[in-house]
């Protein structure tokens, strides 16, 4: 017999765990080959250069080994031949929710996307499997010259900006999964913010996987021109399937002189999703790129957002929260490449492992010899909830030359039984006490998320804790 | 029935017996004091009553208004009205005083009933003022970086907010300067009343000048070895404990 509370938790935890049957008009079938890529190019009406780009990437993908010499062997459980690489109802996203097909629309309504859009967003793109079903920007923001469209529209309608930066921040062969994405990419956002324009509300993308045995390969490129500012948020969910789902995105950010980009992710994939994502930004002189990254879901996440600080006084920041529950592995971190004088990077990472969950931090900070006055601060704190929880830290900080300032702090702590007893003595149940302590651990980072997301985060943590006790 | 009754309680940690047949009754409306040497088992008694998981109760019982609480989780006992002001309050990083006490108050409300934020803040501020705790403390992490005296004042603040039926104060006076001692004592006194029973653990008779007890008990080796009136504390202060155990 389940108690009321238990069933309520199950219902809540699985906000994203539902699925409506969909008729797909476009289906590339199972497995990846040159023919699959041709199919994708044909339905998307890709220009010739994109077809060549995909084919080249596909060859690299085949040639590259799985990175299991340093990463988890669990990667070997991905069966590329069993995955479906392209599924959609059509290629053109709708500009109003009324036009979105009913079966897809109700999914996003259930996830609260149209409501959030009305409340606090400057624009939304809602991707359903391979393509955006909806993409729209508030008129006032569009009038400022801001472009917010899907990647396919970006490459067709704005080739002069798109081609200049596409694949330049993250080369195709950066890793096996960036190569895979480059071969099969579909969906994702293209954003251009003109010089001096500060977009006051966030732009949001929501990625929804609906199909079984599916691979989602969205591709996002964001360019903030000189002095521009933009905040982009992404959320994601999928129903839980017995078989593995693959999500492998590539996200490139370009902040030109004095620009600021903030990229916020709340990742809540279901626990059968392999989430293998490459994210990197290029910060020019006096520019600032900040990744705020929160990983709660997925079976395995491998993600190390990075910033290449190419111009003087550029700043890069990664703030990350990972919650590894039973059976999950959150392998996250940051890459900071200092490539100019007086550049500053900051990494703050907090992970929570509970049950058999495992969290790994990998940090790479590179300051070459010829530079002057660079700064890095790295803090990574891990919290273990149960005896069988696990955390590993692999910081690689290479600093050459003089006059740099580098700080590194790491800690591993456990929730102390005396703290829980103290809180219980005040009337809190064990689960409530755990949630409070865990929320306390990440509190300073959660405050950096927009209100709507921090409330959601707190709720997700509460649910995980409820489930982990008793 | 309106008593906190400890009946022939035996409790141990590991295989080390600490409470060895302790019996004590605190009726509502009364304040009892326990004194005793270091290591005699005073804090153990407090923690066993509150349900600390490290201790094993071997025999005996603890009844709160006639109901045995030994089978209950610590939080159940707390919600039933048992409060413990800790000798060493724990730090909880990242959890603010305001959120912590609010969660504790909320835990006592019926399901579905939400604490009204403005009422809550009005109440906590007035209680903080009375205990001379700066209002800015609401946004500080629980006990983190607090001075010894601030921690103790904060324990009393929690007690004032939670309105327990029975409160055990474990050395709430230690670490307090004279002014703080007066503030804390008047805070405790203001909570005295016909509906509240208190057990005050202390080493110093001075506290009992401010919080005047109805009874004073002496604890040694896990038992109450002597009970008396308030003047027993004076005698203990001047003569020490040896005459008690020797007699
Ligand atoms: N976790 C533990 N492991 C082993 N021994 C313990 C533990 N907790 C308490 N004890 C022992 O139990 C005995 C009673 O300790 P307790 O803290 O109850 O004493 P107390 O009367 O409160 O002393 P004080 O006046 O110093 O606060 C002591 O000998 C102590 O060392
Ligand atoms: Mg003690």
């Amino acid at each position: 017999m389940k108690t009321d509370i238990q069933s309520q938790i199950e219902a809540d935890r699985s906000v994203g765990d539902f699925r409506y049957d969909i008729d797909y008009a476009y289906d590339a079938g199972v497995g990846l080959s040159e023919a699959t890529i041709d199919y994708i190019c044909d339905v998307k009406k890709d220009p010739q250069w994109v077809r060549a780009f995909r084919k080249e990437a596909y060859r690299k993908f085949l040639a590259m080994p799985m990175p299991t010499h340093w990463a988890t062997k669990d990667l070997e459980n991905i069966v590329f031949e069993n995955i479906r690489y392209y599924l959609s109802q059509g290629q053109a996203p709708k500009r109003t929710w009324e036009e979105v097909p009913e079966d897809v629309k109700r999914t996003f309504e259930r996830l609260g996307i149209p409501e959030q859009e009305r409340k606090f967003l400057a624009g939304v793109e809602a991707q359903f499997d391979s393509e955006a079903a909806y993409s729209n920007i508030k008129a006032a923001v569009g009038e400022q010259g801001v472009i917010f469209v899907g990647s396919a529209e970006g490459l067709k309608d704005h080739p002069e900006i798109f081609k200049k930066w596409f694949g330049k921040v993250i080369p195709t062969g950066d890793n096996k999964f960036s190569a895979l994405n480059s071969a099969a990419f579909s969906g994702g956002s293209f954003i251009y913010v003109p010089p001096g324009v500060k977009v006051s509300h966030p732009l949001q993308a929501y990625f929804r996987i609906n199909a079984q045995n599916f691979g989602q390969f969205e591709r996002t490129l964001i360019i903030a021109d000189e002095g521009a500012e933009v905040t982009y948020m992404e959320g994601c969910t999928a129903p839980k399937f017995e078989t593995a789902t693959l999500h492998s995105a590539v996200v490139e950010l370009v902040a030109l002189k004095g620009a600021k980009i903030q990229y916020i992710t709340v990742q809540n994939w279901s626990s059968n999703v392999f989430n293998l994502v490459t994210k990197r930004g290029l910060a020019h002189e006096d520019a600032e790129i900040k990744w705020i990254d929160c990983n709660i879901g997925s079976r395995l996440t491998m993600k190390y957002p990075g910033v290449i600080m190419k111009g003087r006084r550029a700043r890069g920041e990664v703030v990350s929260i990972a919650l590894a529950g039973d059976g999950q592995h959150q392998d996250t971190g940051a890459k900071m490449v200092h490539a100019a004088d007086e550049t500053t990077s900051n990494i703050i990472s907090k992970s929570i492992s509970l049950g058999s969950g495992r969290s790994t931090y990998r940090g790479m900070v590179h300051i070459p010899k010829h530079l002057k006055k660079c700064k890095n601060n790295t803090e990574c704190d891990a919290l273990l909830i149960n005896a069988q929880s696990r955390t590993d830290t692999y910081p690689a900080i290479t600093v050459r030359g003089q006059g740099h300032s580098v700080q590194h702090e790491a800690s591993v702590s456990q929730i102390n039984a005396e703290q829980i007893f103290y809180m219980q003595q005040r009337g809190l149940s064990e689960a409530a006490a755990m949630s409070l302590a865990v929320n306390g651990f990440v509190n300073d980072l959660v405050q950096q998320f927009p209100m709507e997301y921090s409330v959601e985060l707190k709720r997700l943590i509460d649910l995980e804790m409820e489930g982990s006790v008793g | 029935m309106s008593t906190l009754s400890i009946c022939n309680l035996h409790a141990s940690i590991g295989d080390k017996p600490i409470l060895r047949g302790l019996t004590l009754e605190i009726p509502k409306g009364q304040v009892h004091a326990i004194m005793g040497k270091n290591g005699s088992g005073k804090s153990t008694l407090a923690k066993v009553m509150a349900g600390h998981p490290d201790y094993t109760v071997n025999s005996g019982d603890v009844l709160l208004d006639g109901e045995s609480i030994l089978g209950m989780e610590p939080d159940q006992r707390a919600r039933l009205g048992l409060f413990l002001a800790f000798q060493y309050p724990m730090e909880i990083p990242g959890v603010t005083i305001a959120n912590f006490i609010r969660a504790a108050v909320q835990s006592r409300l019926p399901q579905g009933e939400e604490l009204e934020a403005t009422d809550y803040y009005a109440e906590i501020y007035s209680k903080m003022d009375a205990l001379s705790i700066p209002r800015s403390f609401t946004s500080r992490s629980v006990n983190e970086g607090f001075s010894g005296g601030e921690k103790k004042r904060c324990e009393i603040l929690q007690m004032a907010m939670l309105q327990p039926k029975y409160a055990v104060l474990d050395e709430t006076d230690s670490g307090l300067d004279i002014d703080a001692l007066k503030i804390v004592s008047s805070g405790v006194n203001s909570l005295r009343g016909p509906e509240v029973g208190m057990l005050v653990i202390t080493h110093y008779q001075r506290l009992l000048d401010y919080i005047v007890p109805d009874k004073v008990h002496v604890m040694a080796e896990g038992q109450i070895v002597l009970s008396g009136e308030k003047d027993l504390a004076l005698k203990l202060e001047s003569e020490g404990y040896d005459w008690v155990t020797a007699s």
Side-chain angles (χ1 to χ4, degrees):
Chain A
M1 259 287 286
K2 277 178 187 161
T3 64
D4 278 0
I5 302 240
Q6 272 172 327
S7 21
Q8 196 195 329
I9 287 162
E10 275 166 30
D12 261 15
R13 180 197 299 269
S14 50
V15 265
D17 188 12
F18 65 90
R19 167 173 197 280
Y20 302 121
D21 270 332
I22 300 285
D23 288 326
Y24 293 98
Y26 301 89
D27 182 347
V30 174
L32 185 63
S33 64
E34 294 247 355
T36 326
I37 291 174
D38 281 324
Y39 178 87
I40 296 172
C41 292
D42 292 345
V43 300
K44 294 180 82 72
K45 302 195 177 62
D46 277 342
Q48 189 49 43
W49 71 269
V50 174
R51 191 182 298 256
F53 176 90
R54 291 182 186 276
K55 295 273 175 81
E56 172 65 17
Y58 177 58
R59 281 187 285 278
K60 284 190 179 148
F61 165 70
L62 291 180
M64 292 177 87
M66 274 291 199
T68 41
H69 57 290
W70 59 271
T72 168
K73 296 263 183 294
D74 192 25
L75 287 174
E76 286 163 3
N77 295 314
I78 303 172
V79 185
F80 291 108
E81 302 82 71
N82 291 350
I83 289 171
R84 303 153 87 186
Y85 288 80
Y86 184 89
L87 282 175
S88 80
Q89 291 186 312
Q91 288 72 37
K94 302 295 186 272
R95 297 291 182 228
T96 65
W97 284 107
E98 286 68 46
E99 295 167 82
V100 175
E102 199 54 40
D103 46 3
V104 171
K105 187 168 79 179
R106 63 180 170 169
T107 295
F108 288 112
E109 274 173 349
R110 189 158 160 182
L111 294 164
I113 310 301
E115 190 191 339
Q116 287 180 5
E117 179 182 20
R118 283 194 297 276
K119 274 202 209 143
F120 73 103
L121 298 169
V124 167
E125 183 189 334
Q127 179 163 343
F128 195 84
D129 293 331
S130 294
E131 296 284 2
Y134 172 86
S135 168
N136 195 26
I137 182 169
K138 292 221 165 115
V141 185
E143 280 157 19
Q144 292 177 294
V146 176
I147 301 168
F148 177 42
V149 293
S151 63
E153 284 173 277
L155 70 87
K156 276 186 212 114
D157 300 346
H158 309 279
E160 64 305 335
I161 326 173
F162 191 93
K163 270 185 95 165
K164 185 170 176 194
W165 297 109
F166 177 73
K168 299 299 189 317
V169 186
I170 301 172
T172 303
D174 185 80
N175 63 74
K176 190 171 177 74
F177 294 96
S178 62
L180 175 62
N181 173 282
S182 302
F185 76 90
S186 183
S189 311
F190 170 70
I191 295 172
Y192 171 76
V193 186
V197 172
K198 297 178 168 58
V199 186
S200 54
H201 292 281
L203 298 170
Q204 177 178 275
Y206 198 90
F207 297 98
R208 173 69 179 172
I209 292 178
N210 188 66
Q212 195 159 357
N213 295 325
F214 179 66
Q216 190 173 57
F217 305 99
E218 90 267 11
R219 179 94 193 191
T220 289
L221 174 59
I222 301 176
I223 298 145
D225 212 324
E226 295 191 3
E229 291 181 15
V230 63
T231 296
Y232 181 84
M233 312 200 299
E234 58 172 1
C236 53
T237 55
K240 183 163 167 33
F241 294 117
E242 293 307 314
T243 53
T245 302
L246 177 59
H247 173 255
S248 189
V250 166
V251 177
E252 298 175 288
L253 310 183
V254 179
L256 294 171
K257 191 172 171 187
K260 279 188 188 170
I261 302 177
Q262 182 159 291
Y263 192 108
I264 302 169
T265 304
V266 176
Q267 181 269 103
N268 190 22
W269 292 119
S270 55
S271 57
N272 61 312
V273 174
F274 283 93
N275 182 44
L276 310 166
V277 172
T278 312
K279 289 182 164 167
R280 201 166 301 152
L282 186 61
H284 291 77
E285 195 172 307
D286 292 309
E288 184 180 307
I289 290 179
K290 180 171 185 173
W291 300 97
I292 301 181
D293 199 42
C294 177
N295 293 290
I296 290 181
S298 81
R299 162 178 175 165
L300 169 68
T301 285
M302 288 175 63
K303 181 171 23 159
Y304 322 98
V307 182
I308 301 163
M309 288 149 278
K310 186 176 184 253
R312 234 173 130 176
R313 293 178 300 273
R315 293 180 301 281
E317 190 164 4
V318 171
V319 171
S320 104
I321 301 176
L323 182 66
D326 250 337
Q328 289 182 296
H329 185 178
Q330 306 285 9
D331 194 327
T332 61
K335 268 186 192 165
M336 292 296 182
V337 179
H338 292 254
D341 290 343
E342 297 170 66
T343 47
T344 307
S345 62
N346 187 30
I347 303 169
I348 302 176
S349 153
K350 293 200 178 189
S351 69
I352 302 148
S353 313
L354 53 120
S356 63
R358 178 177 171 196
S359 61
T360 303
Y361 169 82
R362 294 177 209 271
M364 200 274 275
V365 177
H366 182 67
I367 305 180
K369 190 168 180 174
H370 63 279
L371 298 184
K372 290 185 200 62
K373 293 196 190 161
C374 296
K375 278 190 203 155
N376 165 261
N377 175 55
T378 301
E379 291 168 39
C380 50
D381 299 317
L383 184 68
L384 301 176
I385 308 285
N386 309 83
Q388 78 275 33
S389 318
R390 176 171 166 193
T391 183
D392 317 280
T393 303
Y394 304 98
I397 302 183
T398 43
V399 180
R400 302 216 170 75
Q402 305 286 308
H404 302 304
S405 145
V406 176
Q407 276 187 50
H408 179 249
E409 276 176 44
S411 76
V412 177
S413 49
Q414 226 161 349
I415 292 192
N416 167 330
E418 296 294 330
Q419 287 173 322
I420 299 298
F421 175 66
Y422 182 74
M423 291 190 264
Q424 280 190 279
Q425 210 302 304
R426 299 308 185 235
L428 304 181
S429 67
E430 189 181 357
M434 287 280 231
S435 303
L436 207 57
V438 170
N439 274 301
F441 174 72
V442 292
N443 188 34
D444 50 339
L445 301 193
V446 170
Q447 309 228 322
Q448 304 205 26
F449 286 78
M451 246 293 268
E452 290 75 6
Y453 274 36
S454 58
V455 170
E456 169 76 1
L457 261 179
K458 188 188 164 309
R459 205 181 59 85
L460 288 170
I461 291 173
D462 286 350
L463 293 174
E464 283 294 332
M465 293 304 124
E466 292 276 0
S468 75
V469 172
Chain B
M1 279 287 275
S2 285
T3 58
L4 179 63
S5 312
I6 303 151
C7 325
N8 197 20
L9 191 63
H10 288 259
S12 54
I13 185 148
D15 49 13
K16 180 177 171 187
I18 298 175
L19 302 183
R20 305 155 189 255
L22 188 139
T23 296
L24 186 64
E25 190 162 78
I26 302 140
K28 266 197 188 143
Q30 293 196 5
V31 173
H32 289 208
I34 289 192
M35 303 182 82
K37 284 189 186 177
N38 294 131
S40 55
K42 305 180 296 295
S43 295
T44 301
L45 171 64
K47 285 193 250 179
V48 168
M49 283 196 283
H52 194 291
D54 285 357
Y55 300 90
T56 314
V57 174
N58 304 308
S59 63
D61 210 345
V62 178
L63 306 174
L64 193 154
D65 293 341
E67 184 180 6
S68 173
I69 58 171
L70 289 181
M72 297 179 187
E73 290 296 314
D75 51 303
Q76 270 180 294
R77 305 181 194 201
R79 292 194 300 269
L80 214 59
L82 180 68
F83 182 89
L84 169 58
F86 285 71
Q87 183 174 1
Y88 304 109
M90 294 304 297
E91 297 183 359
I92 310 171
V95 178
T96 62
I97 289 280
N99 284 344
F100 181 55
I101 298 182
R102 186 197 194 132
V105 175
Q106 178 74 50
S107 75
R108 285 157 172 79
L109 298 180
Q111 249 209 337
E113 196 175 311
E114 278 292 320
L115 190 61
E116 179 58 54
T118 42
D119 297 348
Y120 167 72
Y121 275 97
E123 192 182 344
I124 195 169
Y125 282 149
S126 86
K127 291 189 164 146
M128 291 175 90
D129 295 349
L131 288 162
S132 301
I133 301 172
R135 291 184 176 193
S136 60
F137 269 55
T138 46
S139 55
R140 287 185 60 175
S141 292
V142 176
N143 293 319
E144 198 178 39
F146 286 21
S147 74
E150 287 166 349
K151 285 184 183 167
K152 297 302 170 81
R153 262 188 256 191
C154 211
E155 293 291 287
I156 301 308
L157 171 65
Q158 293 172 47
M159 171 166 129
M161 290 296 291
L162 297 176
Q163 306 267 335
K165 291 189 189 135
Y166 297 97
V168 180
L169 310 186
D170 192 358
E171 297 200 26
T172 301
D173 54 330
S174 51
L176 295 181
D177 61 42
I178 294 288
D179 292 341
L181 183 66
K182 286 183 189 162
I183 293 164
V184 164
S185 304
S186 80
V188 172
N189 284 330
S190 73
L191 296 171
R192 282 178 85 155
E195 291 307 313
V196 186
M198 289 192 201
L199 182 61
V200 177
I201 298 170
T202 182
H203 287 292
Y204 306 104
Q205 111 81 25
R206 192 182 60 196
L207 175 70
L208 306 180
D209 286 341
Y210 297 106
I211 304 173
V212 181
D214 298 288
K215 286 232 155 43
V216 174
H217 309 276
V218 180
M219 187 161 168
E221 293 179 7
Q223 290 181 323
I224 300 297
V225 290
L226 188 67
S227 298
E229 304 299 310
K230 187 198 173 292
D231 48 3
L232 176 58
L234 284 168
K235 184 164 177 185
L236 290 167
E237 180 135 291
S238 58
E239 298 180 23
Y241 289 103
D242 287 348
W243 66 273
V244 182
T245 31
S247 64

